[in-house]
Amino acid sequence: MNIVLLGAPGAGKGTQGDRIGAHYGIPKLATGDVLREAARQGTPLGLEAKRYMDRGELVPDAVILGIMKEALARPVAANGVVLDGVVRTVPQAEGLERVLGELGRRLDVVLLFDVEEEELVRRLSTRTVCERCQAPYTGRESGSACDKCGSRLVRRADDEPEAIRKRMREYREKTGPVIDWYRARAEAGGDAAPRIVMVDAVGEIDAVTQRVLDALSR
Ligand SMILES: [Zn+2]
């Protein structure tokens, strides 16, 4: 089964991707990991990617897709893959479809991790850290006292409601068209059409995993 993960920031895609991979016995390929591995191995495309990364520039889609194709062609990926962060734009979705087709494969599932913005804000805004000993807490308001040293708990700047809303907005603007593109593909039917599976990603990690596996087995 070839699966693409799509989801809002804070939806736990990485963690769930590892669990899905372990459940089906297929590797999870995250773009950053795959690029770094190719660079380490010194493949021609890996070295090309490394030149961009070393300059702090984005690696072009063509290079990423070439490296992904090599990763997909490995025996370990023969039964399927979980792709995390591989598709963020419509051209990347088109490129992935082409690469899979060249390998005689297809995308089976687009797994969409759904998180309601207000819920995400609520969840992340009670993620705090002690300003003195740095002990992390969840479910504790900023301003309450650290259990370990009694100092004040504060929120990380990334977890301020305004910052979360901004990340959600950016995600929607960028990934919304990708979801529409896959929906149109699914509606058009045909052999290349993936199944779109939407899962409520709010809740305990184990509960979300169960929801995902139930949805995938349906
Ligand atoms: Zn403390």
Side-chain angles (χ1 to χ4, degrees), residues 2 37 84 137 179 210:
N2 300 306
E37 199 198 324
D84 177 12
Y137 292 87
I179 297 168
Q210 198 53 54

Side-chain angles (χ1 to χ4, degrees), residues 121-172:
V121 169
R122 200 160 37 240
R123 186 155 50 133
L124 293 185
S125 65
T126 59
R127 192 162 76 172
T128 48
V129 60
C130 172
E131 65 180 353
R132 188 154 124 217
C133 76
Q134 301 296 312
Y137 292 87
T138 49
R140 296 275 287 269
E141 298 291 338
S142 66
S144 46
C146 174
D147 291 343
K148 298 196 173 75
C149 73
S151 291
R152 216 168 60 95
L153 303 185
V154 293
R155 270 201 294 259
R156 294 186 318 142
D158 274 1
D159 292 340
E160 292 294 341
E162 228 3 86
I164 296 165
R165 291 204 170 89
K166 181 161 173 275
R167 262 149 68 203
M168 289 292 283
R169 208 155 48 230
E170 285 168 357
Y171 162 75
R172 263 194 221 103

Side-chain angles (χ1 to χ4, degrees), residues 14-196:
T15 306
Q16 298 298 342
D18 287 333
R19 289 172 164 217
I20 296 163
H23 181 83
Y24 288 103
I26 56 180
K28 183 188 85 171
L29 302 182
T31 304
D33 297 342
V34 173
L35 293 185
R36 278 189 294 275
E37 199 198 324
R40 208 166 37 237
Q41 290 179 342
T43 67
L45 283 170
L47 293 176
E48 198 177 338
K50 186 174 185 297
R51 281 198 290 274
Y52 289 98
M53 292 188 284
D54 285 348
R55 292 197 298 255
E57 292 172 15
L58 287 177
V59 181
D61 283 354
V63 176
I64 295 178
L65 284 166
I67 291 172
M68 272 297 159
K69 188 176 179 183
E70 290 173 352
L72 284 162
R74 283 196 211 121
V76 69
N79 292 327
V81 284
V82 180
L83 299 172
D84 177 12
V86 177
V87 177
R88 293 178 200 276
T89 65
V90 171
Q92 289 171 351
E94 290 168 341
L96 178 65
E97 188 179 83
R98 193 177 60 245
V99 161
L100 285 169
E102 286 164 4
L103 294 168
R105 292 162 68 168
R106 48 171 291 223
L107 182 61
D108 299 288
V109 175
V110 175
L111 185 59
L112 205 53
F113 288 83
D114 191 38
V115 179
E116 214 198 311
E117 182 165 328
E118 284 317 305
E119 181 56 39
L120 195 69
V121 169
R122 200 160 37 240
R123 186 155 50 133
L124 293 185
S125 65
T126 59
R127 192 162 76 172
T128 48
V129 60
C130 172
E131 65 180 353
R132 188 154 124 217
C133 76
Q134 301 296 312
Y137 292 87
T138 49
R140 296 275 287 269
E141 298 291 338
S142 66
S144 46
C146 174
D147 291 343
K148 298 196 173 75
C149 73
S151 291
R152 216 168 60 95
L153 303 185
V154 293
R155 270 201 294 259
R156 294 186 318 142
D158 274 1
D159 292 340
E160 292 294 341
E162 228 3 86
I164 296 165
R165 291 204 170 89
K166 181 161 173 275
R167 262 149 68 203
M168 289 292 283
R169 208 155 48 230
E170 285 168 357
Y171 162 75
R172 263 194 221 103
E173 283 165 12
K174 226 168 45 172
T175 313
V178 177
I179 297 168
D180 292 342
W181 187 83
Y182 277 125
R183 286 222 169 92
R185 268 284 184 273
E187 276 163 26
D191 286 345
R195 186 159 68 101
I196 297 176

